[in-house]
Amino acid sequence: MNVSVLAGMVSTGLFAVSHLPMLLKAVRTRDLDSYSLGYLALSNVANAVHSV
């Protein structure tokens, strides 16, 4: 496994883990207003850049 594959795996794991608190809060409160539109947009842009 080379460094770029390892970096991709780490970044994917961090991306997934970063969404857990927001997701758990939404499930617990059943309130989707807790989702930050700016955060979701920024993370999707970051994923698009990462995939290129």
Side-chain angles (χ1 to χ4, degrees):
M1 178 182 326
N2 61 24
V3 175
S4 63
V5 172
L6 181 61
M9 289 172 60
V10 169
S11 95
T12 300
L14 289 173
F15 173 76
V17 169
S18 73
H19 281 81
L20 286 178
M22 214 168 32
L23 180 62
L24 291 174
K25 182 178 179 183
V27 168
R28 207 173 45 244
T29 63
R30 302 211 186 270
D31 180 18
L32 296 180
D33 289 337
S34 65
Y35 270 79
S36 165
L37 183 59
Y39 176 76
L40 292 173
L42 185 60
S43 65
N44 283 322
V45 169
N47 276 335
V49 170
H50 183 263
S51 69
V52 175

